[in-house]
Amino acid sequence: MSYNSFGRVFRFTTWGESHGPALGAVVDGCPPGIALSEADIQPFLDKRRPGTSRFTTQRQEPDAVKILSGVFEGRTTGTPISLMIENVDQRSKDYTEVAKAYRPGHADYSYDAKYGFRDYRGGGRSSARETAARVAAGAVARAVIPDVEILAYVVEIGGDAIDRDNFEAAQIAKNPFFCPDEAAAGRWEKLVDEARKAGSSLGAVVECVATGVPAGWGAPLYAKLDSELASAMMSINAVKGVEIGAGFGAARLRGEENADRMRPSVEGSNHPAFLANNAGGVSGGISTGQPVVVRVAFKPTSSILTPVETITRDGEATDIVTKGRHDPCVGIRGAPVVEAMMALVLADQKLLHRAQCG
Amino acid sequence: MSYNSFGRVFRFTTWGESHGPALGAVVDGCPPGIALSEADIQPFLDKRRPGTSRFTTQRQEPDAVKILSGVFEGRTTGTPISLMIENVDQRSKDYTEVAKAYRPGHADYSYDAKYGFRDYRGGGRSSARETAARVAAGAVARAVIPDVEILAYVVEIGGDAIDRDNFEAAQIAKNPFFCPDEAAAGRWEKLVDEARKAGSSLGAVVECVATGVPAGWGAPLYAKLDSELASAMMSINAVKGVEIGAGFGAARLRGEENADRMRPSVEGSNHPAFLANNAGGVSGGISTGQPVVVRVAFKPTSSILTPVETITRDGEATDIVTKGRHDPCVGIRGAPVVEAMMALVLADQKLLHRAQCG
Amino acid sequence: MSYNSFGRVFRFTTWGESHGPALGAVVDGCPPGIALSEADIQPFLDKRRPGTSRFTTQRQEPDAVKILSGVFEGRTTGTPISLMIENVDQRSKDYTEVAKAYRPGHADYSYDAKYGFRDYRGGGRSSARETAARVAAGAVARAVIPDVEILAYVVEIGGDAIDRDNFEAAQIAKNPFFCPDEAAAGRWEKLVDEARKAGSSLGAVVECVATGVPAGWGAPLYAKLDSELASAMMSINAVKGVEIGAGFGAARLRGEENADRMRPSVEGSNHPAFLANNAGGVSGGISTGQPVVVRVAFKPTSSILTPVETITRDGEATDIVTKGRHDPCVGIRGAPVVEAMMALVLADQKLLHRAQCG
Amino acid sequence: MSYNSFGRVFRFTTWGESHGPALGAVVDGCPPGIALSEADIQPFLDKRRPGTSRFTTQRQEPDAVKILSGVFEGRTTGTPISLMIENVDQRSKDYTEVAKAYRPGHADYSYDAKYGFRDYRGGGRSSARETAARVAAGAVARAVIPDVEILAYVVEIGGDAIDRDNFEAAQIAKNPFFCPDEAAAGRWEKLVDEARKAGSSLGAVVECVATGVPAGWGAPLYAKLDSELASAMMSINAVKGVEIGAGFGAARLRGEENADRMRPSVEGSNHPAFLANNAGGVSGGISTGQPVVVRVAFKPTSSILTPVETITRDGEATDIVTKGRHDPCVGIRGAPVVEAMMALVLADQKLLHRAQCG
């Protein structure tokens, strides 16, 4: 069943396809009186925007957002905020081949199996272009949690990980990979170039950290903060794994290593001092006051120039090559999307906490 | 905000604490006319039941389930099915220490930060005892999807993984670890014994496979089949990571390796032949007809006899030792819980697919 | 689809049938730290309890409520509150006739058409006995909104309305009809006796007023305060109409009569002085600070001793007489149920308002 | 809390204000493969469109709908259908007075009390202009339930009711009042003209009948078909009452009068023959196969030229006159909106029934 809405009290609904006239999001439940204009949203869209380097798709989309409702005299009114982004560069091309055969790794076959037919132009609704709407909605969410800072960056491409000792937050905005390790960014340039030229593609791991989340957000049991984050991240196109804090690594720790030891609160802090953050800022589904840390695995882009065995809609064997303009590593542009989903979850959790606990 | 319900049309709500009189689940939205009795549910509870080997907690709970509503003359009526399990072995002990200080790794501090106080007896609502209610609800879910087979097993304990070449499904029921590799089960015996005796604990990775899921279940975007699974698994106590199919490993594959090649359907099959299953049976949020594969990381049990630095409710430094009866590796008993959550998600998705697509 | 849950953040789920072992409610999302014991809930159940006068069913049910979870040391913990009421007086009788034929006015035929079979013992899930669970949940809701006073009373039975000039709140608890007009109560005694003896039944109109609701609860558009109240009231067994404030009468007023004129706030008040309350305390879906006023129409009890034409499950014509113990006017005991639903809606709205507006 | 979405599996979300650039609806959960174009939606909008007679507001809005997503090659894809209607005739006027003082009967005060400020241009989000979005969404819903016929008409204006003996369905489209009684339509012409000229306004009662609903849609308890209808109708601007079947009149019937007697099914029918329809097609929350009948009370338009006592935002006493272009009887244009809400509820219920009962 199609559920294109996310959130419990701070909610958003997205709509639109890769090659339709526009796409958008309706944000509902936003608190009133928050300063908001298109200029607050656009920078986040610009970070995700395609066509800005040779390491992303060459589709040229200005991704200019329009606020169609919910804001009056520069402030949110508490009513639905409708955000629209027009599609500009839907290149008219021949989709005959894509229409006839399934691209492995794509949702072509599964959509067809479910719905009986599909909008095959650029992937239709399954296109990562939908994530522009999330990023726009995420910018509204950020305005709801002004004390929280959210930063996502790429920690691994094609199996080549950053060196944590080289971590420098200032680097992230300086290279086309959202990479905090200058040396890794240099290596990735060659790696991604090579994959692109070979008609191949690479996977990536994105890490996202939210600081300033007070202790107490989230709840048992089926809307745990980490459960909501897992759902949010896994809903992003091409994501195959999500972990919180030490994540899969925690399964290799012993109890005494994993438990984040606590010391009395340091002056000026509103929470205990923790000697580690294996929990990733979430215990029992509730934030601890430590940074919330999530890692997200993106598979390699499925649209590649390398021929792959597949079948036609009629069940005949064939090979397929996906021409067109594609990201050689879709995980790179995933970073701003992961940030947006983090913001959307946290804004919802802030309001939910306020609802129950005042 | 407390959300103790899960699901969209096939839904369940759990209630109860570790040391209350009982716990339970209310299952709503179940199709009518399905044969159901306590005998259909009990075997799943027995698999998860504590006290069955020295590798699990020694708390003795019969975990006998009662159906209080929703079944008439042996069949579901379509109205809410209330399931109740009485707590029998709530050992009366002195909780003074736990009441006064926070156990690191536990939800003690975060609950207190959220709610202002907490039921400290055995972890209250944050106790893994709640998962008995999930397992009971999961047994009902299985009856809704009789053509789907679900099997979970432990693939790694304390960093020691099974050898996939030794995989033998028949082994799973033969050892106390739900381990499909006889040799690994032997090693784990020593490993877990050592940790238990040392007053420590171990993490684990559980894998779950659902076969017989037809192509077409799930949907874009925020109720993707994998997104729902991620949410379901991450809501289980002690879980810190979830991955689908190749998962984090997919981030290290190249596009042409990752894309599951398709060949014409073999006779008798209702879906194409896939040459691999990196997707874990889910593409674009929709099932492909291949087995649905999920892996779940459990952190080591936080209740350990090794003293750990912590603080009291008043913010004073102290050390804490968690006495009582605890699982040396909570991931082991996680296997039946993971199975239950898989069943609960799939039953919901089956009904949702039927709703939209007839 | 079976949805046995109500509410958005303060939610409850009910379960149980007329002749099962028990029935209950799980209340989720309750704020923590609220004093709550069975003694806080029982008085409301006692008001609704059957068998207290000859004007209600003679079924003897103590309706003793047990709190099974969610309360620790006398206070709510913020986790699910499980409430259970055991059925005691399920008279063992012969249901052959009811099983074979449909009782007109009852849900017999429609349940069968939907589910393919039904629990015919005392109406199963469609029995008004379910409302005991609502009343228990409603008592919890009241504890969430201590500043709101809720009072429901019967204003009409069998077409005989009270005289508003005789309205005396103190009368309501003094007669078996929840009637605020002593003279009307006297007349109703005869009216209901006559109907009961004739093997017939009567309808009623219940009015409910909530005072102390601050301005600002509720919201546009599909969770308007009045829309939620309409849904809540119409979900009660036997209800066929709901109106707010002037209600259907408002359709006969002119604009200048209907608009509740406003004057400056009187000292000590937190809202303007209104010169009338045709709006029933709700404007644009949001409370105005005036009393919230709802009227609810109950149809006459469908279980009557007068023979009625009907058909069997096999489609054959027959007549049916509903023996057993029934309320001659189900609307009377509807008053405490209407109060409960009002409390449940308002508690939810209070928390929702706090979520969005802080 | 702002909830601008309605429905459980077939859902819609509306956005937009009276004087913003546009308004719209996102319809989610629609089955795939349904033929749909703007031409299928426009006729319903045209029925509701303002400015078509002197008995409605003179605002000139073409209300031309655009489908922005969810339809491919003329058929629904199963993904969100975004519908947009541009506002054309937002007359630029001086809102100083409305901005300063509250219009009694309007949501001005309650919005301000909730949100701290409001979009005062034409009522902002509380404007009945939002109902255009419902009507557009309702047209999609109709396509989901092609076997159901839905017809709404006005049965009373200003207290002057139609004569049921004069009922002629063909009349409804022939007069500007959606009136099925030619004689009443003649009287209403004078009545509404008089009110309009006097700077006053009138209320109305709209009745809506859905035929072709099979037995079995709906469910106990909190998503009863009638409960959903009550919620849907009460969410429409200016509505103050909802009743099903005999409604408030049922409270005046005796049990044997109210129970709709059943006779064996007549040939060709898929449900029993009922000798009456006091139930309005719904029993125990589930459809019976009889026509579903709802009546809805609209209060008189609150925007009137007659001066009314009120207060300013600063709490000072003043009088207010609402100039501008308003419907002298907002209930008239309510008829197509009531039809839309009926369609939206029934489409959702059809899919929900299919989910649970196959």
Side-chain angles (χ1 to χ4, degrees):
Chain A
M1 191 77 196
S2 178
Y3 276 96
N4 292 278
S5 301
F6 188 88
R8 295 172 190 264
V9 292
F10 184 91
R11 279 148 289 132
F12 70 101
T13 301
T14 70
W15 56 269
E17 290 97 36
S18 175
H19 284 58
L23 52 86
V26 181
V27 178
D28 199 8
C30 185
I34 296 178
L36 188 74
S37 73
E38 281 133 2
D40 296 313
I41 302 172
Q42 197 60 49
F44 297 101
L45 282 166
D46 291 345
K47 277 176 74 177
R48 184 208 152 278
R49 195 156 61 83
T52 53
S53 84
R54 71 178 185 276
F55 306 107
T56 67
T57 169
Q58 294 309 300
R59 180 167 168 174
Q60 295 296 330
E61 287 289 351
D63 278 354
V65 67
K66 280 185 205 160
I67 299 177
L68 295 179
S69 69
V71 174
F72 181 58
E73 297 181 342
R75 287 186 294 157
T76 59
T77 59
T79 62
I81 302 167
S82 179
L83 305 169
M84 187 167 75
I85 296 163
E86 285 177 65
N87 284 328
V88 166
D89 186 19
Q90 316 101 301
R91 188 179 290 183
S92 93
K93 60 162 261 191
D94 183 4
Y95 285 102
T96 321
E97 201 175 2
V98 178
K100 273 193 342 213
Y102 302 123
R103 294 167 302 166
H106 270 288
D108 294 353
Y109 169 68
S110 58
Y111 265 61
D112 215 352
K114 183 175 193 75
Y115 297 122
F117 78 120
R118 65 191 162 96
D119 177 351
Y120 43 72
R121 301 164 308 158
R125 181 68 181 154
S126 71
S127 166
R129 187 136 183 73
E130 185 267 350
T131 60
R134 301 179 189 233
V135 169
V140 179
R142 281 173 191 262
V144 174
I145 46 170
D147 298 334
V148 176
E149 266 188 74
I150 297 171
L151 190 62
Y153 39 87
V154 180
V155 295
E156 186 184 310
I157 286 185
D160 182 10
I162 62 163
D163 181 344
R164 294 270 167 181
D165 292 337
N166 292 346
F167 194 103
E168 216 182 318
Q171 284 297 325
I172 295 168
K174 289 192 185 153
N175 59 68
F177 303 108
F178 300 105
C179 178
D181 169 357
E182 194 177 5
R187 297 194 305 271
W188 293 353
E189 199 161 319
K190 281 179 208 131
L191 205 60
V192 178
D193 259 342
E194 178 275 325
R196 185 171 53 84
K197 286 175 190 160
S200 182
S201 63
L202 299 171
V205 177
V206 172
E207 185 170 276
C208 183
V209 178
T211 49
V213 177
W217 290 5
L221 270 155
Y222 304 109
K224 282 182 168 175
L225 178 51
D226 34 358
S227 173
E228 300 285 87
L229 285 170
S231 170
M233 298 307 168
M234 198 67 96
S235 76
I236 302 173
N237 309 51
V239 169
K240 300 304 284 185
V242 182
E243 55 181 15
I244 308 288
F248 276 86
R252 279 167 224 129
L253 299 176
R254 292 173 72 95
E256 63 277 18
E257 295 166 327
N258 178 66
D260 302 322
R261 284 139 204 272
M262 298 167 78
R263 296 286 80 187
S265 179
V266 296
E267 196 164 323
S269 166
N270 58 2
H271 60 80
F274 289 91
L275 302 184
N277 189 15
N278 288 310
V282 190
S283 229
I286 300 172
S287 62
T288 62
Q290 287 206 288
V292 175
V293 182
V294 182
R295 259 179 317 283
V296 181
F298 287 82
K299 67 179 182 183
T301 316
S302 297
S303 299
I304 48 176
L305 285 167
T306 308
V308 189
E309 290 164 284
T310 191
I311 58 169
T312 63
R313 288 198 75 193
D314 303 328
E316 302 298 317
T318 185
D319 274 16
I320 197 162
V321 164
T322 310
K323 290 173 205 145
R325 303 159 297 174
H326 303 291
D327 286 281
C329 173
V330 75
I332 299 171
R333 292 205 293 135
V337 182
V338 167
E339 283 190 359
M341 294 310 291
M342 173 70 92
L344 288 156
V345 167
L346 291 176
D348 195 27
Q349 293 294 334
K350 174 184 176 174
L351 303 195
L352 283 167
H353 179 63
R354 193 154 79 178
Q356 188 177 19
C357 298
Chain B
M1 191 78 199
S2 179
Y3 276 96
N4 292 278
S5 301
F6 188 87
R8 295 171 189 264
V9 292
F10 184 91
R11 280 148 289 130
F12 70 102
T13 301
T14 71
W15 56 270
E17 289 97 36
S18 175
H19 283 56
L23 53 86
V26 182
V27 178
D28 199 7
C30 186
I34 296 177
L36 188 75
S37 73
E38 281 132 4
D40 296 311
I41 302 172
Q42 198 60 49
F44 297 100
L45 283 165
D46 290 345
K47 277 176 73 177
R48 182 207 155 277
R49 195 155 61 83
T52 53
S53 84
R54 71 179 186 275
F55 306 108
T56 66
T57 170
Q58 294 310 300
R59 180 167 169 172
Q60 295 295 331
E61 288 289 352
D63 279 353
V65 67
K66 281 185 204 159
I67 298 177
L68 295 178
S69 67
V71 175
F72 180 60
E73 298 181 341
R75 287 185 293 156
T76 58
T77 59
T79 63
I81 302 166
S82 180
L83 305 168
M84 187 166 75
I85 297 162
E86 284 176 68
N87 284 327
V88 167
D89 186 18
Q90 316 102 301
R91 189 178 291 184
S92 92
K93 59 163 262 189
D94 183 5
Y95 285 102
T96 322
E97 200 175 4
V98 178
K100 271 194 342 212
Y102 302 122
R103 295 167 299 167
H106 270 286
D108 294 353
Y109 169 68
S110 59
Y111 265 61
D112 216 351
K114 181 175 195 76
Y115 297 121
F117 79 120
R118 65 193 161 93
D119 178 351
Y120 44 73
R121 301 164 306 160
R125 181 69 181 153
S126 70
S127 166
R129 185 135 184 74
E130 184 267 351
T131 59
R134 300 179 190 233
V135 169
V140 180
R142 281 174 192 261
V144 175
I145 46 168
D147 298 334
V148 176
E149 266 189 72
I150 297 172
L151 190 63
Y153 39 87
V154 180
V155 295
E156 186 185 310
I157 287 185
D160 181 11
I162 63 163
D163 180 345
R164 295 273 167 178
D165 291 337
N166 292 347
F167 193 102
E168 216 182 319
Q171 285 297 325
I172 296 169
K174 290 192 183 153
N175 59 68
F177 303 108
F178 300 105
C179 178
D181 169 359
E182 194 177 5
R187 299 194 305 270
W188 293 353
E189 201 161 317
K190 283 179 205 131
L191 204 60
V192 178
D193 260 342
E194 178 275 323
R196 184 171 54 84
K197 287 174 188 162
S200 181
S201 62
L202 299 172
V205 176
V206 172
E207 186 169 276
C208 184
V209 177
T211 48
V213 176
W217 290 5
L221 271 153
Y222 303 109
K224 282 180 168 176
L225 177 51
D226 35 358
S227 172
E228 300 284 87
L229 285 169
S231 170
M233 299 307 168
M234 197 68 96
S235 77
I236 302 172
N237 308 51
V239 170
K240 300 303 284 185
V242 183
E243 55 181 15
I244 308 288
F248 276 86
R252 281 169 224 127
L253 298 177
R254 293 173 71 96
E256 63 277 17
E257 294 166 328
N258 179 66
D260 301 325
R261 285 140 204 270
M262 299 168 78
R263 296 286 78 187
S265 179
V266 296
E267 197 163 322
S269 164
N270 58 1
H271 59 80
F274 289 92
L275 303 185
N277 190 14
N278 288 309
V282 190
S283 229
I286 300 172
S287 62
T288 62
Q290 288 205 288
V292 175
V293 182
V294 182
R295 258 179 318 281
V296 181
F298 287 82
K299 66 178 185 184
T301 316
S302 298
S303 298
I304 49 177
L305 286 167
T306 309
V308 188
E309 293 163 283
T310 191
I311 58 171
T312 64
R313 285 200 78 192
D314 303 326
E316 302 298 316
T318 186
D319 274 15
I320 197 162
V321 162
T322 310
K323 290 171 205 146
R325 305 158 295 174
H326 302 291
D327 286 280
C329 173
V330 75
I332 298 169
R333 290 205 294 135
V337 183
V338 167
E339 282 190 359
M341 295 310 291
M342 174 70 92
L344 288 156
V345 167
L346 291 176
D348 195 27
Q349 293 294 332
K350 175 185 176 174
L351 303 195
L352 283 167
H353 179 63
R354 194 155 77 178
Q356 188 177 19
C357 297
Chain C
M1 191 80 198
S2 179
Y3 276 96
N4 292 278
S5 301
F6 188 87
R8 294 172 191 263
V9 292
F10 183 91
R11 280 147 290 131
F12 70 102
T13 300
T14 71
W15 56 269
E17 290 96 36
S18 175
H19 283 57
L23 52 87
V26 182
V27 177
D28 199 7
C30 186
I34 296 178
L36 188 74
S37 74
E38 281 132 3
D40 296 312
I41 302 172
Q42 198 60 49
F44 297 101
L45 283 165
D46 290 345
K47 277 176 73 176
R48 183 208 153 278
R49 196 155 61 82
T52 53
S53 83
R54 72 178 184 276
F55 306 108
T56 66
T57 169
Q58 294 309 299
R59 180 167 168 172
Q60 294 295 332
E61 287 289 351
D63 278 353
V65 69
K66 280 185 206 161
I67 298 177
L68 296 178
S69 68
V71 175
F72 181 59
E73 298 181 343
R75 286 185 295 157
T76 59
T77 60
T79 62
I81 302 167
S82 179
L83 306 168
M84 188 167 73
I85 297 162
E86 284 177 68
N87 283 328
V88 167
D89 186 18
Q90 316 102 299
R91 187 179 291 185
S92 94
K93 58 163 264 191
D94 183 4
Y95 285 102
T96 322
E97 201 175 3
V98 177
K100 272 193 341 211
Y102 303 123
R103 295 166 301 166
H106 271 287
D108 295 353
Y109 169 68
S110 58
Y111 266 60
D112 215 351
K114 181 174 195 76
Y115 298 121
F117 78 120
R118 66 193 160 93
D119 178 351
Y120 43 73
R121 301 163 306 161
R125 181 69 180 153
S126 71
S127 165
R129 186 136 182 74
E130 184 268 350
T131 59
R134 302 179 188 231
V135 168
V140 180
R142 282 174 191 262
V144 176
I145 45 169
D147 299 334
V148 176
E149 266 188 72
I150 297 172
L151 190 64
Y153 39 87
V154 180
V155 295
E156 187 184 309
I157 287 185
D160 181 10
I162 62 163
D163 181 344
R164 295 271 166 178
D165 291 337
N166 293 347
F167 194 103
E168 217 182 319
Q171 284 297 324
I172 296 169
K174 290 193 183 153
N175 60 68
F177 303 109
F178 301 105
C179 178
D181 168 358
E182 194 177 4
R187 297 193 306 269
W188 293 353
E189 200 162 317
K190 282 178 206 133
L191 205 58
V192 179
D193 260 343
E194 177 275 324
R196 185 171 53 84
K197 286 174 190 163
S200 180
S201 62
L202 299 172
V205 177
V206 172
E207 186 169 276
C208 184
V209 177
T211 49
V213 176
W217 290 6
L221 270 153
Y222 303 110
K224 283 181 167 176
L225 177 51
D226 34 358
S227 172
E228 300 284 87
L229 285 169
S231 170
M233 299 306 168
M234 198 68 95
S235 76
I236 302 172
N237 308 50
V239 169
K240 300 302 284 184
V242 182
E243 55 182 15
I244 309 288
F248 276 85
R252 280 168 223 127
L253 298 177
R254 294 173 70 96
E256 64 276 17
E257 294 166 328
N258 178 67
D260 300 323
R261 285 138 204 272
M262 299 168 78
R263 296 287 77 188
S265 179
V266 296
E267 198 164 321
S269 165
N270 59 2
H271 60 79
F274 289 91
L275 303 185
N277 190 14
N278 288 309
V282 190
S283 230
I286 300 171
S287 62
T288 62
Q290 288 206 288
V292 175
V293 182
V294 181
R295 258 181 317 282
V296 181
F298 287 82
K299 67 179 184 183
T301 317
S302 297
S303 298
I304 49 176
L305 285 167
T306 308
V308 188
E309 292 164 281
T310 191
I311 58 170
T312 64
R313 284 200 78 192
D314 304 327
E316 302 299 316
T318 186
D319 274 16
I320 198 162
V321 163
T322 310
K323 289 170 205 147
R325 303 158 298 174
H326 303 290
D327 287 281
C329 173
V330 76
I332 297 170
R333 291 204 294 135
V337 183
V338 167
E339 282 189 359
M341 295 310 292
M342 173 70 91
L344 287 156
V345 167
L346 291 176
D348 195 28
Q349 293 295 332
K350 176 186 175 175
L351 302 194
L352 283 167
H353 179 62
R354 195 154 77 178
Q356 188 177 20
C357 298
Chain D
M1 192 77 197
S2 179
Y3 276 96
N4 292 278
S5 301
F6 187 88
R8 294 171 192 263
V9 290
F10 184 91
R11 281 147 289 130
F12 70 101
T13 301
T14 70
W15 57 269
E17 290 98 35
S18 174
H19 283 57
L23 52 86
V26 182
V27 177
D28 199 7
C30 186
I34 296 178
L36 187 75
S37 73
E38 282 134 2
D40 296 312
I41 302 172
Q42 198 61 48
F44 297 100
L45 283 165
D46 290 346
K47 277 176 75 177
R48 183 208 153 276
R49 194 155 62 82
T52 53
S53 83
R54 71 178 185 276
F55 305 108
T56 67
T57 170
Q58 294 309 299
R59 180 166 168 174
Q60 295 295 331
E61 288 289 353
D63 278 353
V65 68
K66 280 185 205 161
I67 299 176
L68 295 178
S69 68
V71 174
F72 181 58
E73 298 182 340
R75 287 185 294 156
T76 59
T77 60
T79 62
I81 301 167
S82 179
L83 306 168
M84 186 167 75
I85 297 162
E86 285 177 66
N87 284 327
V88 167
D89 186 19
Q90 316 100 302
R91 189 180 290 184
S92 93
K93 59 161 266 192
D94 182 6
Y95 285 101
T96 322
E97 200 174 3
V98 178
K100 274 193 341 213
Y102 302 122
R103 294 166 302 166
H106 271 286
D108 294 353
Y109 169 69
S110 58
Y111 265 61
D112 216 351
K114 182 174 195 76
Y115 296 121
F117 79 120
R118 66 192 160 94
D119 178 351
Y120 43 74
R121 300 164 307 159
R125 182 68 180 155
S126 71
S127 166
R129 185 134 184 75
E130 184 268 349
T131 59
R134 302 179 189 232
V135 169
V140 180
R142 281 174 191 261
V144 175
I145 45 169
D147 298 334
V148 176
E149 266 188 73
I150 297 172
L151 189 63
Y153 39 86
V154 180
V155 296
E156 187 183 310
I157 287 185
D160 181 10
I162 62 162
D163 181 343
R164 295 272 166 176
D165 291 339
N166 292 346
F167 193 102
E168 216 183 319
Q171 284 297 324
I172 296 168
K174 289 191 183 155
N175 59 67
F177 303 107
F178 300 105
C179 177
D181 168 357
E182 193 176 5
R187 298 194 305 270
W188 293 353
E189 198 162 321
K190 281 178 205 131
L191 204 59
V192 179
D193 259 343
E194 177 276 324
R196 184 171 54 82
K197 286 175 188 161
S200 181
S201 63
L202 299 172
V205 177
V206 171
E207 185 169 277
C208 183
V209 177
T211 48
V213 177
W217 290 6
L221 270 152
Y222 304 109
K224 281 182 169 175
L225 178 51
D226 34 358
S227 173
E228 300 284 87
L229 285 170
S231 170
M233 299 306 167
M234 198 68 96
S235 76
I236 302 173
N237 309 52
V239 169
K240 301 302 286 185
V242 183
E243 55 181 15
I244 309 287
F248 277 85
R252 280 168 224 127
L253 299 176
R254 294 174 71 95
E256 63 277 18
E257 294 166 329
N258 179 66
D260 301 324
R261 284 139 203 270
M262 297 167 79
R263 296 287 79 188
S265 178
V266 295
E267 196 164 323
S269 166
N270 58 1
H271 61 80
F274 288 92
L275 303 184
N277 190 13
N278 288 309
V282 191
S283 228
I286 300 172
S287 62
T288 61
Q290 287 206 288
V292 175
V293 181
V294 182
R295 259 179 317 282
V296 181
F298 286 82
K299 67 179 183 183
T301 316
S302 297
S303 298
I304 49 176
L305 285 166
T306 308
V308 188
E309 291 165 282
T310 191
I311 58 169
T312 65
R313 287 200 76 191
D314 304 328
E316 302 299 314
T318 185
D319 274 16
I320 197 162
V321 163
T322 310
K323 290 170 204 148
R325 303 159 298 174
H326 303 290
D327 286 282
C329 173
V330 75
I332 298 170
R333 290 205 293 135
V337 182
V338 167
E339 282 190 0
M341 295 310 291
M342 173 71 91
L344 288 156
V345 167
L346 291 176
D348 195 27
Q349 293 294 333
K350 175 185 176 175
L351 302 195
L352 284 166
H353 179 63
R354 196 154 76 179
Q356 188 177 20
C357 297

